[in-house]
Amino acid sequence: MPGPFEGAAAPVALRELLVELNDLKRVRSAGRTGSVAERLFAQGWSALTGGADPEAVALEITAKTLAACRLCDLDDAFLAAAGLSEAAIGDVLVAGFEAVTPEVEADLRGRLRERLRERDNLVAGPLPGFVAALAQQPRAGVTCPGKPRILLEPPENHAEHCLMVAVYGVVLSPFYRADPTTVFLAAMAHHFHNAAMPDAGFTGEMLLGDHLGPIMARTTQWALDALEPPLRATIERARAVLPDDATAEGRAFHAADAIDRVLQIAQHLRAASLTMETVLGEMELVHAGPVKGFHDRVLKDMRIP
């Protein structure tokens, strides 16, 4: 696979997967708090504080996210509660995973698939306070110094953004020859400062001037202090790749971050440009079944759309 400076700067073959994954920031289910992405962010941190191996966490959360791309909340917990056997649960999860991952690098794809088959239970540890804080902290929207912000509702939150960048980073890591675990951990922790610091976007950061660096350092440290020393040191090492694109891991992270930021806005534009031709024709909203003919006549006679 070519490196980033031997041609393309990113693997376009993964575009459609990343677009589809982004919607997990907006998928919710009855009886569950927050979006799928928000809850997977919490699961990842719970596993890390529970002492799980970071590589196992990175693969587990990424595999679950990829399976959820089509299955949404038809996850292992629901399938078990609905009475499926362990083997049947694995079959369903892998079917969802296979439906969206043909372009994922083969070795990584195999490792992720195996996580869905094995589903080793990761011990759940205590959730640090920054997890809930990031889930409650909205992203700033589109900001530019000297110009009014553009707000698009509903906003994503920082937990959703961090989870998505982490999963994107793992999926992109083979292209950059990066260590996926380092990229995952760096992404999961890259907005630590926003657990306490409201997000005023690029505009607010520029208005803070020389105060920005010390404030970000202080608020980041507050989040780091919520972790036990061994995990804190692991996260600090991973975060060392964040400042630039000088490393393979830095490139994978920054590619994932930029893609997620733009796709978040693109989904608003996509929804605004949706047509009935797409909904009724391509997506078959009134789909095949024993009453489709009757449905079609009803809509025709009601002049809908």
Side-chain angles (χ1 to χ4, degrees):
M1 186 174 290
F5 302 116
E6 299 170 10
V12 70
L14 290 172
R15 181 187 184 280
E16 294 307 312
L17 170 61
L18 303 187
V19 170
E20 187 172 353
L21 277 172
N22 209 265
D23 282 338
L24 291 178
K25 293 188 283 188
R26 291 165 285 279
V27 174
R28 291 169 168 78
S29 298
R32 302 192 186 195
T33 301
S35 67
V36 171
E38 182 181 320
R39 283 183 270 112
L40 285 167
F41 178 76
Q43 285 181 36
W45 277 110
S46 177
L48 288 168
T49 64
D53 175 65
E55 181 182 25
V57 177
L59 293 175
E60 178 98 358
I61 296 301
T62 300
K64 285 184 173 181
T65 305
L66 290 166
C69 198
R70 295 283 170 86
L71 290 168
C72 299
D73 271 325
L74 299 178
D75 58 11
D76 53 349
F78 168 78
L79 295 172
L84 271 65
S85 68
E86 284 296 305
I89 292 171
D91 289 341
V92 172
L93 295 178
V94 168
F97 173 87
E98 297 283 6
V100 297
T101 57
E103 299 298 338
V104 174
E105 190 268 337
D107 180 64
L108 176 61
R109 189 178 189 223
R111 295 168 70 197
L112 293 168
R113 185 192 299 108
E114 190 62 26
R115 293 300 304 185
L116 295 176
R117 286 287 184 201
E118 292 182 355
R119 297 191 314 284
D120 294 335
N121 289 326
L122 302 178
V123 176
L127 280 179
F130 62 74
V131 173
L134 288 169
Q136 294 165 9
Q137 191 76 275
R139 300 267 289 158
V142 183
T143 69
C144 181
K147 299 178 182 179
R149 78 177 58 229
I150 300 173
L151 287 175
L152 297 169
E153 297 288 339
E156 64 179 326
N157 62 52
H158 280 80
E160 293 166 332
H161 169 66
C162 288
L163 182 280
M164 200 56 57
V165 175
V167 171
Y168 282 7
V170 171
V171 173
L172 291 166
S173 61
F175 179 83
Y176 298 101
R177 301 189 180 98
D179 173 49
T181 303
T182 298
V183 179
F184 179 86
L185 295 177
M188 290 283 278
H190 81 286
H191 272 283
F192 265 4
H193 58 286
N194 284 119
M197 180 181 179
D199 189 356
F202 186 39
T203 298
E205 292 176 354
M206 293 301 96
L207 291 173
L208 283 172
D210 292 340
H211 300 297
L212 175 63
I215 288 174
M216 288 184 65
R218 191 172 301 118
T219 51
T220 295
Q221 192 60 50
W222 291 346
L224 285 167
D225 288 344
L227 302 174
E228 293 298 319
L231 178 57
R232 184 190 314 156
T234 299
I235 297 302
E236 286 178 321
R237 285 193 296 272
R239 281 178 49 90
V241 309
L242 295 177
D244 53 48
D245 63 356
T247 63
E249 291 73 26
R251 289 189 286 277
F253 164 76
H254 284 290
D257 186 44
I259 290 167
D260 181 63
R261 276 187 284 158
V262 176
L263 286 182
Q264 171 64 22
I265 306 305
Q267 66 89 20
H268 287 281
L269 303 179
R270 189 168 71 249
S273 62
L274 187 65
T275 67
M276 274 296 177
E277 181 180 353
T278 297
V279 171
L280 291 174
E282 181 181 336
M283 299 303 293
E284 299 184 65
L285 179 63
V286 180
H287 52 76
V291 294
K292 185 181 188 305
F294 178 67
H295 286 168
D296 288 340
R297 293 196 304 273
V298 167
L299 293 173
K300 178 182 178 181
D301 291 343
M302 288 296 292
R303 300 178 185 175
I304 298 173

PDB file of all heavy atoms in Angstrom, residues 251-275:
ATOM      1  N   ARG A 251       0.190  11.576  11.347  1.00  0.00           N
ATOM      2  CA  ARG A 251      -0.492  11.712  10.064  1.00  0.00           C
ATOM      3  C   ARG A 251      -1.839  10.994  10.077  1.00  0.00           C
ATOM      4  O   ARG A 251      -2.843  11.515   9.581  1.00  0.00           O
ATOM      5  CB  ARG A 251       0.396  11.200   8.925  1.00  0.00           C
ATOM      6  CG  ARG A 251       1.583  12.110   8.642  1.00  0.00           C
ATOM      7  CD  ARG A 251       2.327  11.706   7.383  1.00  0.00           C
ATOM      8  NE  ARG A 251       3.130  10.513   7.560  1.00  0.00           N
ATOM      9  CZ  ARG A 251       4.363  10.494   8.077  1.00  0.00           C
ATOM     10  NH1 ARG A 251       4.917  11.625   8.490  1.00  0.00           N
ATOM     11  NH2 ARG A 251       5.037   9.360   8.185  1.00  0.00           N
ATOM     12  N   ALA A 252      -1.859   9.788  10.630  1.00  0.00           N
ATOM     13  CA  ALA A 252      -3.128   9.047  10.698  1.00  0.00           C
ATOM     14  C   ALA A 252      -4.142   9.788  11.553  1.00  0.00           C
ATOM     15  O   ALA A 252      -5.318   9.887  11.192  1.00  0.00           O
ATOM     16  CB  ALA A 252      -2.883   7.647  11.261  1.00  0.00           C
ATOM     17  N   PHE A 253      -3.685  10.336  12.685  1.00  0.00           N
ATOM     18  CA  PHE A 253      -4.595  11.090  13.546  1.00  0.00           C
ATOM     19  C   PHE A 253      -5.129  12.325  12.844  1.00  0.00           C
ATOM     20  O   PHE A 253      -6.343  12.580  12.831  1.00  0.00           O
ATOM     21  CB  PHE A 253      -3.912  11.511  14.858  1.00  0.00           C
ATOM     22  CG  PHE A 253      -4.675  12.585  15.563  1.00  0.00           C
ATOM     23  CD1 PHE A 253      -5.836  12.287  16.268  1.00  0.00           C
ATOM     24  CD2 PHE A 253      -4.292  13.929  15.457  1.00  0.00           C
ATOM     25  CE1 PHE A 253      -6.590  13.290  16.877  1.00  0.00           C
ATOM     26  CE2 PHE A 253      -5.041  14.931  16.057  1.00  0.00           C
ATOM     27  CZ  PHE A 253      -6.186  14.609  16.766  1.00  0.00           C
ATOM     28  N   HIS A 254      -4.250  13.125  12.269  1.00  0.00           N
ATOM     29  CA  HIS A 254      -4.690  14.391  11.665  1.00  0.00           C
ATOM     30  C   HIS A 254      -5.553  14.159  10.429  1.00  0.00           C
ATOM     31  O   HIS A 254      -6.465  14.950  10.154  1.00  0.00           O
ATOM     32  CB  HIS A 254      -3.488  15.284  11.361  1.00  0.00           C
ATOM     33  CG  HIS A 254      -2.932  15.927  12.590  1.00  0.00           C
ATOM     34  ND1 HIS A 254      -3.596  16.919  13.269  1.00  0.00           N
ATOM     35  CD2 HIS A 254      -1.795  15.667  13.300  1.00  0.00           C
ATOM     36  CE1 HIS A 254      -2.886  17.289  14.326  1.00  0.00           C
ATOM     37  NE2 HIS A 254      -1.798  16.535  14.371  1.00  0.00           N
ATOM     38  N   ALA A 255      -5.290  13.091   9.690  1.00  0.00           N
ATOM     39  CA  ALA A 255      -6.179  12.740   8.576  1.00  0.00           C
ATOM     40  C   ALA A 255      -7.569  12.428   9.115  1.00  0.00           C
ATOM     41  O   ALA A 255      -8.585  12.926   8.607  1.00  0.00           O
ATOM     42  CB  ALA A 255      -5.620  11.544   7.817  1.00  0.00           C
ATOM     43  N   ALA A 256      -7.640  11.608  10.166  1.00  0.00           N
ATOM     44  CA  ALA A 256      -8.925  11.234  10.757  1.00  0.00           C
ATOM     45  C   ALA A 256      -9.653  12.449  11.310  1.00  0.00           C
ATOM     46  O   ALA A 256     -10.875  12.600  11.134  1.00  0.00           O
ATOM     47  CB  ALA A 256      -8.696  10.201  11.861  1.00  0.00           C
ATOM     48  N   ASP A 257      -8.924  13.332  11.964  1.00  0.00           N
ATOM     49  CA  ASP A 257      -9.531  14.517  12.574  1.00  0.00           C
ATOM     50  C   ASP A 257     -10.120  15.436  11.510  1.00  0.00           C
ATOM     51  O   ASP A 257     -11.255  15.910  11.629  1.00  0.00           O
ATOM     52  CB  ASP A 257      -8.467  15.252  13.394  1.00  0.00           C
ATOM     53  CG  ASP A 257      -9.033  16.410  14.192  1.00  0.00           C
ATOM     54  OD1 ASP A 257     -10.109  16.255  14.810  1.00  0.00           O
ATOM     55  OD2 ASP A 257      -8.401  17.483  14.215  1.00  0.00           O
ATOM     56  N   ALA A 258      -9.358  15.695  10.455  1.00  0.00           N
ATOM     57  CA  ALA A 258      -9.839  16.579   9.394  1.00  0.00           C
ATOM     58  C   ALA A 258     -11.051  15.975   8.682  1.00  0.00           C
ATOM     59  O   ALA A 258     -12.035  16.670   8.395  1.00  0.00           O
ATOM     60  CB  ALA A 258      -8.717  16.846   8.387  1.00  0.00           C
ATOM     61  N   ILE A 259     -11.000  14.669   8.409  1.00  0.00           N
ATOM     62  CA  ILE A 259     -12.119  14.012   7.725  1.00  0.00           C
ATOM     63  C   ILE A 259     -13.381  14.101   8.562  1.00  0.00           C
ATOM     64  O   ILE A 259     -14.467  14.427   8.058  1.00  0.00           O
ATOM     65  CB  ILE A 259     -11.762  12.541   7.421  1.00  0.00           C
ATOM     66  CG1 ILE A 259     -10.683  12.474   6.334  1.00  0.00           C
ATOM     67  CG2 ILE A 259     -12.995  11.751   6.986  1.00  0.00           C
ATOM     68  CD1 ILE A 259     -10.049  11.099   6.183  1.00  0.00           C
ATOM     69  N   ASP A 260     -13.260  13.831   9.862  1.00  0.00           N
ATOM     70  CA  ASP A 260     -14.455  13.861  10.710  1.00  0.00           C
ATOM     71  C   ASP A 260     -15.034  15.269  10.810  1.00  0.00           C
ATOM     72  O   ASP A 260     -16.254  15.449  10.760  1.00  0.00           O
ATOM     73  CB  ASP A 260     -14.144  13.336  12.109  1.00  0.00           C
ATOM     74  CG  ASP A 260     -15.390  13.334  12.983  1.00  0.00           C
ATOM     75  OD1 ASP A 260     -16.350  12.609  12.649  1.00  0.00           O
ATOM     76  OD2 ASP A 260     -15.438  14.093  13.965  1.00  0.00           O
ATOM     77  N   ARG A 261     -14.178  16.271  10.950  1.00  0.00           N
ATOM     78  CA  ARG A 261     -14.689  17.641  11.072  1.00  0.00           C
ATOM     79  C   ARG A 261     -15.491  18.059   9.844  1.00  0.00           C
ATOM     80  O   ARG A 261     -16.545  18.695   9.949  1.00  0.00           O
ATOM     81  CB  ARG A 261     -13.524  18.614  11.288  1.00  0.00           C
ATOM     82  CG  ARG A 261     -13.086  18.711  12.742  1.00  0.00           C
ATOM     83  CD  ARG A 261     -12.066  19.806  12.928  1.00  0.00           C
ATOM     84  NE  ARG A 261     -10.762  19.407  12.431  1.00  0.00           N
ATOM     85  CZ  ARG A 261      -9.813  20.270  12.070  1.00  0.00           C
ATOM     86  NH1 ARG A 261     -10.029  21.569  12.095  1.00  0.00           N
ATOM     87  NH2 ARG A 261      -8.641  19.839  11.659  1.00  0.00           N
ATOM     88  N   VAL A 262     -15.012  17.682   8.675  1.00  0.00           N
ATOM     89  CA  VAL A 262     -15.698  18.090   7.450  1.00  0.00           C
ATOM     90  C   VAL A 262     -16.936  17.234   7.197  1.00  0.00           C
ATOM     91  O   VAL A 262     -17.989  17.736   6.790  1.00  0.00           O
ATOM     92  CB  VAL A 262     -14.732  18.055   6.253  1.00  0.00           C
ATOM     93  CG1 VAL A 262     -15.465  18.397   4.962  1.00  0.00           C
ATOM     94  CG2 VAL A 262     -13.586  19.042   6.478  1.00  0.00           C
ATOM     95  N   LEU A 263     -16.842  15.928   7.455  1.00  0.00           N
ATOM     96  CA  LEU A 263     -18.012  15.069   7.248  1.00  0.00           C
ATOM     97  C   LEU A 263     -19.158  15.431   8.183  1.00  0.00           C
ATOM     98  O   LEU A 263     -20.331  15.253   7.826  1.00  0.00           O
ATOM     99  CB  LEU A 263     -17.630  13.598   7.429  1.00  0.00           C
ATOM    100  CG  LEU A 263     -16.822  12.967   6.302  1.00  0.00           C
ATOM    101  CD1 LEU A 263     -16.568  11.492   6.590  1.00  0.00           C
ATOM    102  CD2 LEU A 263     -17.529  13.123   4.952  1.00  0.00           C
ATOM    103  N   GLN A 264     -18.843  15.923   9.379  1.00  0.00           N
ATOM    104  CA  GLN A 264     -19.896  16.354  10.293  1.00  0.00           C
ATOM    105  C   GLN A 264     -20.747  17.458   9.662  1.00  0.00           C
ATOM    106  O   GLN A 264     -21.971  17.473   9.794  1.00  0.00           O
ATOM    107  CB  GLN A 264     -19.281  16.854  11.604  1.00  0.00           C
ATOM    108  CG  GLN A 264     -20.252  17.526  12.558  1.00  0.00           C
ATOM    109  CD  GLN A 264     -21.338  16.598  13.085  1.00  0.00           C
ATOM    110  OE1 GLN A 264     -21.163  15.378  13.075  1.00  0.00           O
ATOM    111  NE2 GLN A 264     -22.440  17.160  13.528  1.00  0.00           N
ATOM    112  N   ILE A 265     -20.109  18.370   8.962  1.00  0.00           N
ATOM    113  CA  ILE A 265     -20.833  19.447   8.289  1.00  0.00           C
ATOM    114  C   ILE A 265     -21.499  18.925   7.017  1.00  0.00           C
ATOM    115  O   ILE A 265     -22.629  19.286   6.685  1.00  0.00           O
ATOM    116  CB  ILE A 265     -19.880  20.614   7.950  1.00  0.00           C
ATOM    117  CG1 ILE A 265     -19.138  21.083   9.213  1.00  0.00           C
ATOM    118  CG2 ILE A 265     -20.651  21.766   7.316  1.00  0.00           C
ATOM    119  CD1 ILE A 265     -20.035  21.457  10.372  1.00  0.00           C
ATOM    120  N   ALA A 266     -20.816  18.026   6.320  1.00  0.00           N
ATOM    121  CA  ALA A 266     -21.345  17.494   5.062  1.00  0.00           C
ATOM    122  C   ALA A 266     -22.679  16.789   5.270  1.00  0.00           C
ATOM    123  O   ALA A 266     -23.557  16.830   4.402  1.00  0.00           O
ATOM    124  CB  ALA A 266     -20.339  16.541   4.422  1.00  0.00           C
ATOM    125  N   GLN A 267     -22.851  16.129   6.428  1.00  0.00           N
ATOM    126  CA  GLN A 267     -24.114  15.407   6.640  1.00  0.00           C
ATOM    127  C   GLN A 267     -25.290  16.371   6.742  1.00  0.00           C
ATOM    128  O   GLN A 267     -26.398  16.051   6.334  1.00  0.00           O
ATOM    129  CB  GLN A 267     -24.021  14.491   7.869  1.00  0.00           C
ATOM    130  CG  GLN A 267     -23.873  15.182   9.205  1.00  0.00           C
ATOM    131  CD  GLN A 267     -25.197  15.532   9.873  1.00  0.00           C
ATOM    132  OE1 GLN A 267     -26.225  14.968   9.543  1.00  0.00           O
ATOM    133  NE2 GLN A 267     -25.139  16.475  10.786  1.00  0.00           N
ATOM    134  N   HIS A 268     -25.069  17.575   7.277  1.00  0.00           N
ATOM    135  CA  HIS A 268     -26.134  18.575   7.306  1.00  0.00           C
ATOM    136  C   HIS A 268     -26.497  18.993   5.881  1.00  0.00           C
ATOM    137  O   HIS A 268     -27.678  19.140   5.544  1.00  0.00           O
ATOM    138  CB  HIS A 268     -25.689  19.802   8.107  1.00  0.00           C
ATOM    139  CG  HIS A 268     -25.639  19.586   9.589  1.00  0.00           C
ATOM    140  ND1 HIS A 268     -26.766  19.613  10.379  1.00  0.00           N
ATOM    141  CD2 HIS A 268     -24.601  19.349  10.418  1.00  0.00           C
ATOM    142  CE1 HIS A 268     -26.425  19.401  11.643  1.00  0.00           C
ATOM    143  NE2 HIS A 268     -25.114  19.241  11.691  1.00  0.00           N
ATOM    144  N   LEU A 269     -25.493  19.214   5.052  1.00  0.00           N
ATOM    145  CA  LEU A 269     -25.735  19.627   3.668  1.00  0.00           C
ATOM    146  C   LEU A 269     -26.401  18.503   2.877  1.00  0.00           C
ATOM    147  O   LEU A 269     -27.263  18.759   2.032  1.00  0.00           O
ATOM    148  CB  LEU A 269     -24.419  20.032   3.017  1.00  0.00           C
ATOM    149  CG  LEU A 269     -23.628  21.140   3.728  1.00  0.00           C
ATOM    150  CD1 LEU A 269     -22.333  21.433   2.982  1.00  0.00           C
ATOM    151  CD2 LEU A 269     -24.471  22.403   3.865  1.00  0.00           C
ATOM    152  N   ARG A 270     -25.999  17.258   3.155  1.00  0.00           N
ATOM    153  CA  ARG A 270     -26.595  16.114   2.463  1.00  0.00           C
ATOM    154  C   ARG A 270     -28.082  15.997   2.788  1.00  0.00           C
ATOM    155  O   ARG A 270     -28.917  15.759   1.922  1.00  0.00           O
ATOM    156  CB  ARG A 270     -25.859  14.834   2.861  1.00  0.00           C
ATOM    157  CG  ARG A 270     -26.259  13.612   2.037  1.00  0.00           C
ATOM    158  CD  ARG A 270     -25.309  12.453   2.278  1.00  0.00           C
ATOM    159  NE  ARG A 270     -25.458  11.855   3.582  1.00  0.00           N
ATOM    160  CZ  ARG A 270     -24.561  11.942   4.557  1.00  0.00           C
ATOM    161  NH1 ARG A 270     -23.439  12.610   4.375  1.00  0.00           N
ATOM    162  NH2 ARG A 270     -24.770  11.349   5.722  1.00  0.00           N
ATOM    163  N   ALA A 271     -28.421  16.183   4.054  1.00  0.00           N
ATOM    164  CA  ALA A 271     -29.825  16.109   4.463  1.00  0.00           C
ATOM    165  C   ALA A 271     -30.642  17.225   3.820  1.00  0.00           C
ATOM    166  O   ALA A 271     -31.781  17.022   3.393  1.00  0.00           O
ATOM    167  CB  ALA A 271     -29.929  16.184   5.981  1.00  0.00           C
ATOM    168  N   ALA A 272     -30.034  18.418   3.727  1.00  0.00           N
ATOM    169  CA  ALA A 272     -30.755  19.556   3.157  1.00  0.00           C
ATOM    170  C   ALA A 272     -31.013  19.390   1.667  1.00  0.00           C
ATOM    171  O   ALA A 272     -31.969  19.960   1.135  1.00  0.00           O
ATOM    172  CB  ALA A 272     -29.963  20.842   3.409  1.00  0.00           C
ATOM    173  N   SER A 273     -30.186  18.607   0.980  1.00  0.00           N
ATOM    174  CA  SER A 273     -30.335  18.437  -0.473  1.00  0.00           C
ATOM    175  C   SER A 273     -31.029  17.132  -0.847  1.00  0.00           C
ATOM    176  O   SER A 273     -31.119  16.796  -2.028  1.00  0.00           O
ATOM    177  CB  SER A 273     -28.958  18.502  -1.144  1.00  0.00           C
ATOM    178  OG  SER A 273     -28.134  17.447  -0.694  1.00  0.00           O
ATOM    179  N   LEU A 274     -31.536  16.402   0.131  1.00  0.00           N
ATOM    180  CA  LEU A 274     -32.194  15.128  -0.133  1.00  0.00           C
ATOM    181  C   LEU A 274     -33.453  15.333  -0.977  1.00  0.00           C
ATOM    182  O   LEU A 274     -34.210  16.272  -0.759  1.00  0.00           O
ATOM    183  CB  LEU A 274     -32.572  14.464   1.199  1.00  0.00           C
ATOM    184  CG  LEU A 274     -33.131  13.039   1.137  1.00  0.00           C
ATOM    185  CD1 LEU A 274     -32.082  12.072   0.611  1.00  0.00           C
ATOM    186  CD2 LEU A 274     -33.595  12.612   2.530  1.00  0.00           C
ATOM    187  N   THR A 275     -33.685  14.451  -1.951  1.00  0.00           N
ATOM    188  CA  THR A 275     -34.860  14.561  -2.817  1.00  0.00           C
ATOM    189  C   THR A 275     -35.763  13.345  -2.654  1.00  0.00           C
ATOM    190  O   THR A 275     -35.325  12.271  -2.242  1.00  0.00           O
ATOM    191  CB  THR A 275     -34.444  14.663  -4.293  1.00  0.00           C
ATOM    192  OG1 THR A 275     -33.848  13.419  -4.693  1.00  0.00           O
ATOM    193  CG2 THR A 275     -33.460  15.800  -4.511  1.00  0.00           C
TER     194      THR A 275
END
